[in-house]
Protein backbone atom coordinates (compact mmCIF):
# COMPACT_ATOMS: atom_id res chain seq x y z
CA UNK A 1 0.00 0.00 0.00
CA UNK A 2 1.47 3.29 -1.06
CA UNK A 3 1.13 6.61 0.77
CA UNK A 4 -1.01 7.79 -2.16
CA UNK A 5 -3.42 4.86 -1.66
CA UNK A 6 -3.67 5.62 2.04
CA UNK A 7 -4.31 9.30 1.35
CA UNK A 8 -7.04 8.53 -1.19
CA UNK A 9 -8.77 6.16 1.22
CA UNK A 10 -8.39 8.67 4.05
CA UNK A 11 -10.17 11.27 1.92
CA UNK A 12 -13.14 8.91 1.61
CA UNK A 13 -13.41 8.87 5.40
CA UNK A 14 -12.83 12.59 5.77
CA UNK A 15 -15.68 13.27 3.35
CA UNK A 16 -17.92 11.36 5.79
CA UNK A 17 -16.62 12.97 9.00
CA UNK A 18 -14.12 10.23 9.82
CA UNK A 19 -16.27 7.11 9.80
CA UNK A 20 -18.46 5.07 7.49
CA UNK A 21 -21.50 2.97 8.24
CA UNK A 22 -22.15 -0.14 6.14
CA UNK A 23 -24.21 1.72 3.54
CA UNK A 24 -21.54 4.41 3.11
CA UNK A 25 -18.79 1.77 2.99
CA UNK A 26 -20.62 -0.14 0.25
CA UNK A 27 -21.25 3.07 -1.68
CA UNK A 28 -17.59 4.09 -1.46
CA UNK A 29 -15.93 0.72 -2.03
CA UNK A 30 -18.54 -1.88 -2.99
CA UNK A 31 -18.92 -1.17 -6.67
CA UNK A 32 -15.22 -0.48 -7.15
CA UNK A 33 -14.30 -3.77 -5.50
CA UNK A 34 -17.08 -5.70 -7.15
CA UNK A 35 -18.39 -6.82 -3.76
CA UNK A 36 -21.76 -8.39 -3.21
CA UNK A 37 -23.67 -7.10 -0.21
CA UNK A 38 -22.68 -10.25 1.67
CA UNK A 39 -18.97 -9.87 0.82
CA UNK A 40 -19.03 -6.17 1.70
CA UNK A 41 -20.78 -6.88 4.98
CA UNK A 42 -18.20 -9.50 5.93
CA UNK A 43 -15.31 -7.16 5.11
CA UNK A 44 -16.99 -4.33 7.00
CA UNK A 45 -17.47 -6.56 10.05
CA UNK A 46 -13.79 -7.57 9.98
CA UNK A 47 -12.82 -3.90 10.07
CA UNK A 48 -15.38 -2.80 12.67
CA UNK A 49 -13.21 -3.93 15.58
CA UNK A 50 -15.44 -2.46 18.31
CA UNK A 51 -18.68 -3.68 16.64
CA UNK A 52 -20.41 -0.31 16.86
CA UNK A 53 -21.77 -0.38 13.31
CA UNK A 54 -19.29 2.14 11.93
CA UNK A 55 -15.75 1.82 10.67
CA UNK A 56 -13.52 4.66 11.74
CA UNK A 57 -10.43 5.61 9.80
CA UNK A 58 -8.25 4.13 12.57
CA UNK A 59 -9.98 0.73 12.28
CA UNK A 60 -9.76 0.78 8.51
CA UNK A 61 -6.08 1.77 8.47
CA UNK A 62 -5.20 -0.80 11.14
CA UNK A 63 -6.88 -3.54 9.09
CA UNK A 64 -5.06 -2.53 5.93
CA UNK A 65 -1.69 -2.27 7.61
CA UNK A 66 -2.08 -5.53 9.46
CA UNK A 67 -2.73 -7.52 6.33
CA UNK A 68 -0.45 -5.62 3.98
CA UNK A 69 2.45 -6.60 6.22
CA UNK A 70 1.38 -10.23 6.25
CA UNK A 71 0.72 -10.41 9.99
CA UNK A 72 -2.16 -12.67 10.78
CA UNK A 73 -3.72 -12.75 7.35
CA UNK A 74 -5.53 -15.47 5.58
CA UNK A 75 -5.24 -15.21 1.82
CA UNK A 76 -8.81 -13.89 1.59
CA UNK A 77 -7.88 -10.99 3.84
CA UNK A 78 -4.88 -10.18 1.69
CA UNK A 79 -7.19 -10.19 -1.34
CA UNK A 80 -9.41 -7.70 0.50
CA UNK A 81 -6.42 -5.44 1.00
CA UNK A 82 -5.37 -5.65 -2.65
CA UNK A 83 -8.92 -4.86 -3.76
CA UNK A 84 -9.05 -1.85 -1.44
CA UNK A 85 -5.70 -0.67 -2.77
CA UNK A 86 -7.08 -0.88 -6.32
CA UNK A 87 -10.22 0.96 -5.25
CA UNK A 88 -8.15 3.76 -3.78
CA UNK A 89 -6.40 4.24 -7.09
CA UNK A 90 -9.65 4.14 -9.04
CA UNK A 91 -11.62 6.38 -6.70
CA UNK A 92 -9.00 8.98 -5.83
CA UNK A 93 -10.61 11.51 -8.16
CA UNK A 94 -14.09 10.95 -6.69
CA UNK A 95 -13.05 12.12 -3.24
CA UNK A 96 -10.52 14.79 -4.10
CA UNK A 97 -12.76 17.80 -3.62
CA UNK A 98 -12.70 20.64 -1.15
CA UNK A 99 -16.31 19.88 -0.20
CA UNK A 100 -17.75 16.41 0.32
CA UNK A 101 -19.66 14.83 -2.53
CA UNK A 102 -23.22 14.07 -1.53
CA UNK A 103 -25.44 11.52 -3.13
Amino acid sequence: ITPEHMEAMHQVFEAKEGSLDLQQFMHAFGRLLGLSLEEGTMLFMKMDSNSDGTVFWSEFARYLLQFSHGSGGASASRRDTVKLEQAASASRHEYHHSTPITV
Side-chain angles (χ1 to χ4, degrees), residues 26-94:
M26 287 301 294
H27 179 75
F29 297 112
R31 71 174 189 261
L32 293 169
L33 300 177
L35 298 174
S36 68
L37 181 58
E38 182 179 342
E39 292 168 327
T41 301
M42 293 301 296
L43 180 59
F44 183 87
M45 290 170 56
K46 289 178 191 178
M47 292 181 182
D48 185 14
S49 61
N50 65 356
S51 300
D52 67 350
T54 59
V55 172
F56 289 88
W57 169 248
S58 60
E59 293 172 312
F60 185 85
R62 185 174 28 255
Y63 181 87
L64 289 180
L65 293 172
Q66 178 183 2
F67 290 104
S68 71
H69 288 91
S71 58
S75 59
S77 296
R78 284 194 200 90
R79 280 195 304 273
D80 294 342
T81 303
V82 169
K83 285 183 173 184
L84 286 166
E85 205 173 283
Q86 292 167 345
S89 293
S91 67
R92 185 174 301 136
H93 66 279
E94 291 183 36

Side-chain angles (χ1 to χ4, degrees), residues 8-22:
M9 289 182 272
H10 187 249
Q11 288 178 9
V12 171
F13 281 83
E14 287 299 308
K16 297 296 182 183
E17 299 182 13
S19 67
L20 303 174
D21 62 22
L22 178 59

